[in-house]
mmCIF file of all heavy atoms in Angstrom:
data_model
loop_
_atom_site.group_PDB
_atom_site.id
_atom_site.type_symbol
_atom_site.label_atom_id
_atom_site.label_comp_id
_atom_site.label_asym_id
_atom_site.label_seq_id
_atom_site.Cartn_x
_atom_site.Cartn_y
_atom_site.Cartn_z
ATOM 1 N N ALA A 2 213.743 211.859 185.580
ATOM 2 C CA ALA A 2 213.292 213.296 185.383
ATOM 3 C C ALA A 2 211.854 213.390 185.457
ATOM 4 O O ALA A 2 211.304 214.528 185.431
ATOM 5 C CB ALA A 2 213.800 213.713 184.011
ATOM 6 N N VAL A 20 207.412 216.736 183.312
ATOM 7 C CA VAL A 20 208.836 216.499 183.138
ATOM 8 C C VAL A 20 209.600 217.596 183.807
ATOM 9 O O VAL A 20 209.264 218.762 183.687
ATOM 10 C CB VAL A 20 209.210 216.484 181.685
ATOM 11 C CG1 VAL A 20 210.639 216.148 181.483
ATOM 12 C CG2 VAL A 20 208.311 215.550 180.891
ATOM 13 N N GLU A 21 210.631 217.179 184.558
ATOM 14 C CA GLU A 21 211.382 218.127 185.333
ATOM 15 C C GLU A 21 212.171 219.044 184.338
ATOM 16 O O GLU A 21 212.835 218.595 183.475
ATOM 17 C CB GLU A 21 212.355 217.420 186.247
ATOM 18 C CG GLU A 21 213.186 218.366 187.156
ATOM 19 C CD GLU A 21 214.179 217.684 187.980
ATOM 20 O OE1 GLU A 21 213.915 216.470 188.418
ATOM 21 O OE2 GLU A 21 215.286 218.181 188.261
ATOM 22 N N LEU A 22 212.025 220.354 184.658
ATOM 23 C CA LEU A 22 212.713 221.310 183.690
ATOM 24 C C LEU A 22 213.793 222.149 184.556
ATOM 25 O O LEU A 22 213.736 222.138 185.753
ATOM 26 C CB LEU A 22 211.705 222.334 183.185
ATOM 27 C CG LEU A 22 210.541 221.686 182.347
ATOM 28 C CD1 LEU A 22 209.524 222.784 181.951
ATOM 29 C CD2 LEU A 22 211.069 220.943 181.111
ATOM 30 N N ALA A 23 214.640 222.820 183.858
ATOM 31 C CA ALA A 23 215.514 223.661 184.492
ATOM 32 C C ALA A 23 215.723 224.869 183.662
ATOM 33 O O ALA A 23 215.851 224.920 182.441
ATOM 34 C CB ALA A 23 216.974 222.966 184.566
ATOM 35 N N ASP A 24 215.760 226.005 184.385
ATOM 36 C CA ASP A 24 216.026 227.389 183.654
ATOM 37 C C ASP A 24 217.424 227.729 183.938
ATOM 38 O O ASP A 24 217.879 228.078 185.093
ATOM 39 C CB ASP A 24 215.016 228.408 184.307
ATOM 40 C CG ASP A 24 215.138 229.685 183.577
ATOM 41 O OD1 ASP A 24 216.045 229.837 182.801
ATOM 42 O OD2 ASP A 24 214.237 230.604 183.874
ATOM 43 N N ALA A 25 218.189 227.732 182.825
ATOM 44 C CA ALA A 25 219.683 227.934 183.000
ATOM 45 C C ALA A 25 220.051 229.403 183.184
ATOM 46 O O ALA A 25 221.179 229.587 183.531
ATOM 47 C CB ALA A 25 220.343 227.346 181.827
ATOM 48 N N THR A 47 214.736 223.574 188.906
ATOM 49 C CA THR A 47 216.091 224.189 189.013
ATOM 50 C C THR A 47 216.180 225.547 188.245
ATOM 51 O O THR A 47 215.851 225.598 187.082
ATOM 52 C CB THR A 47 217.209 223.294 188.505
ATOM 53 O OG1 THR A 47 217.093 222.020 189.123
ATOM 54 C CG2 THR A 47 218.640 223.814 188.624
ATOM 55 N N ILE A 49 218.746 228.935 187.751
ATOM 56 C CA ILE A 49 219.980 229.631 187.926
ATOM 57 C C ILE A 49 219.731 231.124 187.842
ATOM 58 O O ILE A 49 219.370 231.577 186.806
ATOM 59 C CB ILE A 49 221.084 229.197 186.890
ATOM 60 C CG1 ILE A 49 221.210 227.691 186.782
ATOM 61 C CG2 ILE A 49 222.407 229.914 187.228
ATOM 62 C CD1 ILE A 49 221.690 227.057 188.065
ATOM 63 N N MET A 187 228.713 225.451 176.692
ATOM 64 C CA MET A 187 227.292 225.232 176.666
ATOM 65 C C MET A 187 226.611 226.454 176.059
ATOM 66 O O MET A 187 227.105 227.596 176.269
ATOM 67 C CB MET A 187 226.754 224.981 178.030
ATOM 68 C CG MET A 187 227.310 223.738 178.703
ATOM 69 S SD MET A 187 226.985 222.271 177.831
ATOM 70 C CE MET A 187 225.269 222.001 178.236
ATOM 71 N N MET A 188 225.536 226.285 175.374
ATOM 72 C CA MET A 188 224.807 227.446 174.847
ATOM 73 C C MET A 188 223.317 227.277 175.364
ATOM 74 O O MET A 188 222.796 226.171 175.273
ATOM 75 C CB MET A 188 224.752 227.385 173.347
ATOM 76 C CG MET A 188 226.052 227.738 172.722
ATOM 77 S SD MET A 188 226.344 226.981 171.096
ATOM 78 C CE MET A 188 227.154 225.492 171.501
ATOM 79 N N SER A 189 222.716 228.386 175.838
ATOM 80 C CA SER A 189 221.314 228.269 176.277
ATOM 81 C C SER A 189 220.453 229.055 175.330
ATOM 82 O O SER A 189 220.840 230.056 174.839
ATOM 83 C CB SER A 189 221.131 228.624 177.736
ATOM 84 O OG SER A 189 221.483 229.968 177.965
ATOM 85 N N ILE A 190 219.264 228.596 175.211
ATOM 86 C CA ILE A 190 218.316 229.086 174.198
ATOM 87 C C ILE A 190 217.063 229.619 174.875
ATOM 88 O O ILE A 190 216.478 228.987 175.751
ATOM 89 C CB ILE A 190 217.807 227.857 173.323
ATOM 90 C CG1 ILE A 190 219.033 227.164 172.691
ATOM 91 C CG2 ILE A 190 216.813 228.250 172.207
ATOM 92 C CD1 ILE A 190 219.859 228.039 171.737
ATOM 93 N N ILE A 202 220.936 225.624 166.766
ATOM 94 C CA ILE A 202 220.553 224.523 167.538
ATOM 95 C C ILE A 202 220.773 223.240 166.707
ATOM 96 O O ILE A 202 221.295 222.288 167.149
ATOM 97 C CB ILE A 202 219.043 224.603 167.863
ATOM 98 C CG1 ILE A 202 218.691 225.827 168.824
ATOM 99 C CG2 ILE A 202 218.474 223.296 168.466
ATOM 100 C CD1 ILE A 202 217.261 226.148 168.953
ATOM 101 N N VAL A 205 224.596 221.816 166.495
ATOM 102 C CA VAL A 205 225.393 221.288 167.586
ATOM 103 C C VAL A 205 224.600 220.175 168.214
ATOM 104 O O VAL A 205 223.465 220.013 168.129
ATOM 105 C CB VAL A 205 225.747 222.378 168.615
ATOM 106 C CG1 VAL A 205 226.604 223.404 167.976
ATOM 107 C CG2 VAL A 205 224.456 222.986 169.202
ATOM 108 N N PRO A 206 225.412 219.219 168.901
ATOM 109 C CA PRO A 206 224.770 218.145 169.661
ATOM 110 C C PRO A 206 223.889 218.764 170.819
ATOM 111 O O PRO A 206 224.165 219.812 171.375
ATOM 112 C CB PRO A 206 225.874 217.413 170.332
ATOM 113 C CG PRO A 206 227.032 217.838 169.559
ATOM 114 C CD PRO A 206 226.856 219.227 169.021
ATOM 115 N N ILE A 207 222.828 218.053 171.150
ATOM 116 C CA ILE A 207 221.980 218.562 172.267
ATOM 117 C C ILE A 207 222.702 218.626 173.535
ATOM 118 O O ILE A 207 222.405 219.369 174.487
ATOM 119 C CB ILE A 207 220.672 217.722 172.381
ATOM 120 C CG1 ILE A 207 219.690 218.474 173.203
ATOM 121 C CG2 ILE A 207 220.998 216.285 172.961
ATOM 122 C CD1 ILE A 207 218.192 217.998 173.086
ATOM 123 N N GLY A 208 223.839 217.878 173.718
ATOM 124 C CA GLY A 208 224.632 217.884 174.898
ATOM 125 C C GLY A 208 225.233 219.170 175.052
ATOM 126 O O GLY A 208 225.741 219.469 176.251
ATOM 127 N N ASN A 209 225.309 220.052 174.152
ATOM 128 C CA ASN A 209 225.850 221.482 174.372
ATOM 129 C C ASN A 209 224.775 222.457 174.552
ATOM 130 O O ASN A 209 225.023 223.717 174.644
ATOM 131 C CB ASN A 209 226.667 221.864 173.114
ATOM 132 C CG ASN A 209 227.916 221.125 173.073
ATOM 133 O OD1 ASN A 209 227.930 220.129 172.281
ATOM 134 N ND2 ASN A 209 228.988 221.439 173.666
ATOM 135 N N LEU A 210 223.563 222.036 174.696
ATOM 136 C CA LEU A 210 222.413 222.977 174.846
ATOM 137 C C LEU A 210 221.691 222.958 176.176
ATOM 138 O O LEU A 210 221.682 221.896 176.984
ATOM 139 C CB LEU A 210 221.352 222.667 173.734
ATOM 140 C CG LEU A 210 221.837 222.807 172.267
ATOM 141 C CD1 LEU A 210 220.735 222.453 171.307
ATOM 142 C CD2 LEU A 210 222.312 224.319 172.117
ATOM 143 N N MET A 211 221.199 224.136 176.513
ATOM 144 C CA MET A 211 220.323 224.219 177.784
ATOM 145 C C MET A 211 219.198 225.194 177.411
ATOM 146 O O MET A 211 219.234 225.883 176.363
ATOM 147 C CB MET A 211 221.163 224.837 178.953
ATOM 148 C CG MET A 211 222.449 224.025 179.355
ATOM 149 S SD MET A 211 223.163 224.561 180.814
ATOM 150 C CE MET A 211 223.962 226.171 180.303
ATOM 151 N N ALA A 212 218.139 225.117 178.194
ATOM 152 C CA ALA A 212 217.014 226.033 177.973
ATOM 153 C C ALA A 212 216.947 227.066 179.071
ATOM 154 O O ALA A 212 217.486 226.862 180.262
ATOM 155 C CB ALA A 212 215.706 225.229 178.065
ATOM 156 N N GLU A 213 216.544 228.317 178.791
ATOM 157 C CA GLU A 213 216.587 229.413 179.674
ATOM 158 C C GLU A 213 215.374 230.340 179.364
ATOM 159 O O GLU A 213 214.781 230.194 178.320
ATOM 160 C CB GLU A 213 217.898 230.170 179.569
ATOM 161 C CG GLU A 213 217.994 230.943 178.165
ATOM 162 C CD GLU A 213 218.846 232.192 178.313
ATOM 163 O OE1 GLU A 213 218.436 233.211 178.911
ATOM 164 O OE2 GLU A 213 219.927 232.173 177.662
ATOM 165 N N VAL A 226 210.025 228.452 180.565
ATOM 166 C CA VAL A 226 211.187 227.712 179.992
ATOM 167 C C VAL A 226 210.741 226.530 179.109
ATOM 168 O O VAL A 226 211.445 226.077 178.275
ATOM 169 C CB VAL A 226 212.103 227.259 181.167
ATOM 170 C CG1 VAL A 226 211.613 226.105 181.922
ATOM 171 C CG2 VAL A 226 213.520 226.970 180.596
ATOM 172 N N ASP A 227 209.446 226.061 179.322
ATOM 173 C CA ASP A 227 208.954 224.949 178.542
ATOM 174 C C ASP A 227 208.919 225.380 176.973
ATOM 175 O O ASP A 227 209.038 224.536 176.071
ATOM 176 C CB ASP A 227 207.596 224.468 179.032
ATOM 177 C CG ASP A 227 206.503 225.467 179.043
ATOM 178 O OD1 ASP A 227 206.813 226.673 178.892
ATOM 179 O OD2 ASP A 227 205.302 225.162 179.106
ATOM 180 N N LYS A 228 208.739 226.668 176.779
ATOM 181 C CA LYS A 228 208.619 227.244 175.417
ATOM 182 C C LYS A 228 210.006 227.100 174.804
ATOM 183 O O LYS A 228 210.131 226.802 173.582
ATOM 184 C CB LYS A 228 208.157 228.660 175.343
ATOM 185 C CG LYS A 228 206.766 228.843 175.956
ATOM 186 C CD LYS A 228 206.207 230.216 175.800
ATOM 187 C CE LYS A 228 204.792 230.357 176.416
ATOM 188 N NZ LYS A 228 204.830 231.223 177.596
ATOM 189 N N ALA A 229 211.114 227.363 175.558
ATOM 190 C CA ALA A 229 212.475 227.169 174.972
ATOM 191 C C ALA A 229 212.709 225.681 174.719
ATOM 192 O O ALA A 229 213.290 225.403 173.672
ATOM 193 C CB ALA A 229 213.441 227.729 175.950
ATOM 194 N N VAL A 230 212.277 224.828 175.639
ATOM 195 C CA VAL A 230 212.390 223.420 175.360
ATOM 196 C C VAL A 230 211.677 222.994 174.023
ATOM 197 O O VAL A 230 212.290 222.236 173.276
ATOM 198 C CB VAL A 230 211.856 222.552 176.596
ATOM 199 C CG1 VAL A 230 211.857 221.069 176.324
ATOM 200 C CG2 VAL A 230 212.611 222.914 177.837
ATOM 201 N N ASN A 231 210.575 223.520 173.864
ATOM 202 C CA ASN A 231 209.795 223.258 172.652
ATOM 203 C C ASN A 231 210.522 223.630 171.367
ATOM 204 O O ASN A 231 210.536 222.944 170.361
ATOM 205 C CB ASN A 231 208.445 223.992 172.668
ATOM 206 C CG ASN A 231 207.253 223.116 172.643
ATOM 207 O OD1 ASN A 231 207.354 222.013 172.055
ATOM 208 N ND2 ASN A 231 206.154 223.438 173.284
ATOM 209 N N ILE A 232 211.098 224.901 171.528
ATOM 210 C CA ILE A 232 211.855 225.361 170.290
ATOM 211 C C ILE A 232 213.049 224.384 169.970
ATOM 212 O O ILE A 232 213.299 224.029 168.748
ATOM 213 C CB ILE A 232 212.397 226.780 170.518
ATOM 214 C CG1 ILE A 232 211.226 227.738 170.522
ATOM 215 C CG2 ILE A 232 213.545 227.192 169.480
ATOM 216 C CD1 ILE A 232 211.564 229.136 171.014
ATOM 217 N N ILE A 233 213.757 223.972 171.073
ATOM 218 C CA ILE A 233 214.773 223.021 170.775
ATOM 219 C C ILE A 233 214.293 221.634 170.232
ATOM 220 O O ILE A 233 214.957 221.095 169.326
ATOM 221 C CB ILE A 233 215.656 222.858 172.132
ATOM 222 C CG1 ILE A 233 216.254 224.234 172.495
ATOM 223 C CG2 ILE A 233 216.695 221.861 171.945
ATOM 224 C CD1 ILE A 233 216.867 224.302 173.871
ATOM 225 N N ALA A 234 213.224 221.156 170.922
ATOM 226 C CA ALA A 234 212.711 219.860 170.508
ATOM 227 C C ALA A 234 212.295 219.869 168.968
ATOM 228 O O ALA A 234 212.627 219.001 168.195
ATOM 229 C CB ALA A 234 211.517 219.508 171.380
ATOM 230 N N ASP A 235 211.619 221.007 168.611
ATOM 231 C CA ASP A 235 211.154 221.036 167.228
ATOM 232 C C ASP A 235 212.407 221.219 166.231
ATOM 233 O O ASP A 235 212.288 220.559 165.236
ATOM 234 C CB ASP A 235 210.442 222.467 167.000
ATOM 235 C CG ASP A 235 208.933 222.354 167.396
ATOM 236 O OD1 ASP A 235 208.605 221.174 167.789
ATOM 237 O OD2 ASP A 235 208.218 223.304 167.444
ATOM 238 N N LYS A 237 215.300 220.106 166.661
ATOM 239 C CA LYS A 237 216.011 218.669 166.688
ATOM 240 C C LYS A 237 215.146 217.579 166.081
ATOM 241 O O LYS A 237 215.744 216.525 165.883
ATOM 242 C CB LYS A 237 216.538 218.398 168.106
ATOM 243 C CG LYS A 237 217.637 219.241 168.590
ATOM 244 C CD LYS A 237 218.877 218.760 168.021
ATOM 245 C CE LYS A 237 220.179 219.453 168.437
ATOM 246 N NZ LYS A 237 221.183 219.386 167.382
ATOM 247 N N ILE A 239 212.864 215.957 167.874
ATOM 248 C CA ILE A 239 212.728 214.933 168.920
ATOM 249 C C ILE A 239 211.471 215.317 169.756
ATOM 250 O O ILE A 239 210.949 216.413 169.762
ATOM 251 C CB ILE A 239 213.988 214.827 169.786
ATOM 252 C CG1 ILE A 239 214.380 216.146 170.540
ATOM 253 C CG2 ILE A 239 215.171 214.371 168.903
ATOM 254 C CD1 ILE A 239 215.493 216.038 171.437
ATOM 255 N N ARG A 240 211.100 214.332 170.568
ATOM 256 C CA ARG A 240 209.942 214.545 171.455
ATOM 257 C C ARG A 240 210.271 215.588 172.513
ATOM 258 O O ARG A 240 211.464 215.646 173.017
ATOM 259 C CB ARG A 240 209.473 213.274 172.131
ATOM 260 C CG ARG A 240 208.845 212.247 171.191
ATOM 261 C CD ARG A 240 208.729 210.880 171.859
ATOM 262 N NE ARG A 240 208.084 210.881 173.198
ATOM 263 C CZ ARG A 240 208.430 210.309 174.258
ATOM 264 N NH1 ARG A 240 209.483 209.549 174.224
ATOM 265 N NH2 ARG A 240 207.755 210.488 175.350
ATOM 266 N N TYR A 241 209.202 216.333 172.910
ATOM 267 C CA TYR A 241 209.411 217.361 173.951
ATOM 268 C C TYR A 241 209.978 216.716 175.166
ATOM 269 O O TYR A 241 210.951 217.202 175.772
ATOM 270 C CB TYR A 241 208.019 217.990 174.320
ATOM 271 C CG TYR A 241 208.055 218.882 175.447
ATOM 272 C CD1 TYR A 241 208.412 220.181 175.461
ATOM 273 C CD2 TYR A 241 207.713 218.412 176.740
ATOM 274 C CE1 TYR A 241 208.513 221.009 176.559
ATOM 275 C CE2 TYR A 241 207.807 219.186 177.895
ATOM 276 C CZ TYR A 241 208.147 220.448 177.727
ATOM 277 O OH TYR A 241 208.200 221.304 178.876
ATOM 278 N N GLU A 242 209.449 215.551 175.604
ATOM 279 C CA GLU A 242 209.879 214.922 176.873
ATOM 280 C C GLU A 242 211.420 214.517 176.822
ATOM 281 O O GLU A 242 212.118 214.640 177.830
ATOM 282 C CB GLU A 242 209.167 213.621 177.249
ATOM 283 C CG GLU A 242 207.726 213.843 177.595
ATOM 284 C CD GLU A 242 206.838 214.239 176.442
ATOM 285 O OE1 GLU A 242 207.186 214.150 175.218
ATOM 286 O OE2 GLU A 242 205.576 214.508 176.703
ATOM 287 N N ASP A 243 211.824 214.069 175.635
ATOM 288 C CA ASP A 243 213.251 213.636 175.492
ATOM 289 C C ASP A 243 214.182 214.913 175.525
ATOM 290 O O ASP A 243 215.237 214.862 176.122
ATOM 291 C CB ASP A 243 213.399 212.939 174.225
ATOM 292 C CG ASP A 243 212.647 211.569 174.216
ATOM 293 O OD1 ASP A 243 212.502 211.014 175.370
ATOM 294 O OD2 ASP A 243 212.308 211.004 173.124
ATOM 295 N N ALA A 244 213.690 215.921 174.837
ATOM 296 C CA ALA A 244 214.497 217.221 174.921
ATOM 297 C C ALA A 244 214.555 217.792 176.353
ATOM 298 O O ALA A 244 215.569 218.129 176.786
ATOM 299 C CB ALA A 244 213.850 218.232 174.070
ATOM 300 N N ALA A 245 213.444 217.735 177.035
ATOM 301 C CA ALA A 245 213.379 218.319 178.353
ATOM 302 C C ALA A 245 214.361 217.498 179.308
ATOM 303 O O ALA A 245 215.110 218.101 180.132
ATOM 304 C CB ALA A 245 211.928 218.209 178.911
ATOM 305 N N ARG A 246 214.318 216.208 179.214
ATOM 306 C CA ARG A 246 215.172 215.329 179.989
ATOM 307 C C ARG A 246 216.599 215.653 179.777
ATOM 308 O O ARG A 246 217.378 215.842 180.639
ATOM 309 C CB ARG A 246 214.847 213.869 179.655
ATOM 310 C CG ARG A 246 215.286 212.918 180.859
ATOM 311 C CD ARG A 246 214.680 211.499 180.545
ATOM 312 N NE ARG A 246 213.264 211.525 180.797
ATOM 313 C CZ ARG A 246 212.311 211.213 179.972
ATOM 314 N NH1 ARG A 246 212.636 210.851 178.639
ATOM 315 N NH2 ARG A 246 211.031 211.205 180.215
ATOM 316 N N ALA A 247 216.987 215.697 178.528
ATOM 317 C CA ALA A 247 218.405 215.984 178.184
ATOM 318 C C ALA A 247 218.877 217.355 178.567
ATOM 319 O O ALA A 247 219.868 217.524 179.296
ATOM 320 C CB ALA A 247 218.666 215.772 176.626
ATOM 321 N N LEU A 248 218.053 218.352 178.357
ATOM 322 C CA LEU A 248 218.340 219.711 178.719
ATOM 323 C C LEU A 248 218.505 219.966 180.210
ATOM 324 O O LEU A 248 219.336 220.673 180.679
ATOM 325 C CB LEU A 248 217.355 220.709 178.092
ATOM 326 C CG LEU A 248 217.321 220.685 176.539
ATOM 327 C CD1 LEU A 248 216.004 221.410 175.995
ATOM 328 C CD2 LEU A 248 218.562 221.279 175.960
ATOM 329 N N THR A 249 217.613 219.323 180.967
ATOM 330 C CA THR A 249 217.588 219.437 182.393
ATOM 331 C C THR A 249 218.834 218.711 182.915
ATOM 332 O O THR A 249 219.585 219.336 183.800
ATOM 333 C CB THR A 249 216.403 218.809 182.988
ATOM 334 O OG1 THR A 249 215.167 219.550 182.486
ATOM 335 C CG2 THR A 249 216.336 218.847 184.625
ATOM 336 N N GLU A 250 219.224 217.626 182.406
ATOM 337 C CA GLU A 250 220.488 216.912 182.843
ATOM 338 C C GLU A 250 221.619 217.747 182.437
ATOM 339 O O GLU A 250 222.612 217.918 183.308
ATOM 340 C CB GLU A 250 220.520 215.563 182.163
ATOM 341 C CG GLU A 250 219.664 214.519 182.840
ATOM 342 C CD GLU A 250 219.666 213.130 182.074
ATOM 343 O OE1 GLU A 250 220.627 212.950 181.229
ATOM 344 O OE2 GLU A 250 218.784 212.390 182.372
ATOM 345 N N ASN A 251 221.687 218.359 181.277
ATOM 346 C CA ASN A 251 222.842 219.120 180.940
ATOM 347 C C ASN A 251 223.030 220.351 181.868
ATOM 348 O O ASN A 251 224.122 220.650 182.243
ATOM 349 C CB ASN A 251 222.589 219.740 179.556
ATOM 350 C CG ASN A 251 222.548 218.744 178.382
ATOM 351 O OD1 ASN A 251 222.966 217.581 178.674
ATOM 352 N ND2 ASN A 251 222.114 219.182 177.304
ATOM 353 N N THR A 252 221.880 221.003 182.258
ATOM 354 C CA THR A 252 221.934 222.162 183.151
ATOM 355 C C THR A 252 222.380 221.757 184.491
ATOM 356 O O THR A 252 223.336 222.475 185.077
ATOM 357 C CB THR A 252 220.502 222.811 183.163
ATOM 358 O OG1 THR A 252 220.117 223.118 181.941
ATOM 359 C CG2 THR A 252 220.587 224.132 184.053
ATOM 360 N N LYS A 253 222.014 220.644 185.094
ATOM 361 C CA LYS A 253 222.351 220.280 186.409
ATOM 362 C C LYS A 253 223.771 219.778 186.395
ATOM 363 O O LYS A 253 224.496 220.030 187.377
ATOM 364 C CB LYS A 253 221.427 219.222 186.898
ATOM 365 C CG LYS A 253 220.054 219.765 187.244
ATOM 366 C CD LYS A 253 218.936 218.683 187.417
ATOM 367 C CE LYS A 253 218.915 218.291 188.870
ATOM 368 N NZ LYS A 253 217.607 217.553 189.030
ATOM 369 N N ARG A 254 224.158 219.065 185.282
ATOM 370 C CA ARG A 254 225.623 218.691 185.236
ATOM 371 C C ARG A 254 226.529 219.953 185.146
ATOM 372 O O ARG A 254 227.512 220.033 185.880
ATOM 373 C CB ARG A 254 225.774 217.783 184.050
ATOM 374 C CG ARG A 254 227.112 217.121 183.959
ATOM 375 C CD ARG A 254 227.295 216.246 182.709
ATOM 376 N NE ARG A 254 227.111 217.062 181.471
ATOM 377 C CZ ARG A 254 226.095 216.966 180.604
ATOM 378 N NH1 ARG A 254 225.143 215.982 180.777
ATOM 379 N NH2 ARG A 254 226.051 217.728 179.553
ATOM 380 N N PHE A 255 226.262 220.844 184.240
ATOM 381 C CA PHE A 255 227.082 221.979 183.943
ATOM 382 C C PHE A 255 227.218 222.824 185.273
ATOM 383 O O PHE A 255 228.346 223.241 185.604
ATOM 384 C CB PHE A 255 226.544 222.858 182.857
ATOM 385 C CG PHE A 255 227.384 224.040 182.623
ATOM 386 C CD1 PHE A 255 228.651 223.912 181.892
ATOM 387 C CD2 PHE A 255 227.061 225.280 183.088
ATOM 388 C CE1 PHE A 255 229.442 225.028 181.707
ATOM 389 C CE2 PHE A 255 227.931 226.501 182.848
ATOM 390 C CZ PHE A 255 229.093 226.255 182.117
ATOM 391 N N PHE A 256 226.104 223.004 185.954
ATOM 392 C CA PHE A 256 226.223 223.845 187.110
ATOM 393 C C PHE A 256 226.513 223.126 188.434
ATOM 394 O O PHE A 256 226.397 223.648 189.569
ATOM 395 C CB PHE A 256 224.940 224.726 187.304
ATOM 396 C CG PHE A 256 224.777 225.807 186.304
ATOM 397 C CD1 PHE A 256 223.863 225.669 185.245
ATOM 398 C CD2 PHE A 256 225.614 226.914 186.212
ATOM 399 C CE1 PHE A 256 223.702 226.663 184.230
ATOM 400 C CE2 PHE A 256 225.454 227.902 185.252
ATOM 401 C CZ PHE A 256 224.495 227.750 184.287
#
Side-chain angles (χ1 to χ4, degrees):
V20 183
E21 184 184 326
L22 301 175
D24 186 346
T47 303
I49 309 297
M187 300 298 288
M188 290 155 266
S189 65
I190 304 299
I202 295 167
V205 297
I207 197 164
N209 292 94
L210 298 175
M211 304 189 287
E213 67 155 288
V226 77
D227 61 343
K228 298 183 184 118
V230 174
N231 240 329
I232 289 170
I233 297 167
D235 277 358
K237 287 281 182 207
I239 60 175
R240 289 168 54 224
Y241 171 84
E242 289 79 5
D243 294 335
R246 198 168 291 122
L248 297 165
T249 300
E250 280 176 18
N251 294 347
T252 304
K253 291 166 89 168
R254 187 183 60 245
F255 179 77
F256 290 109

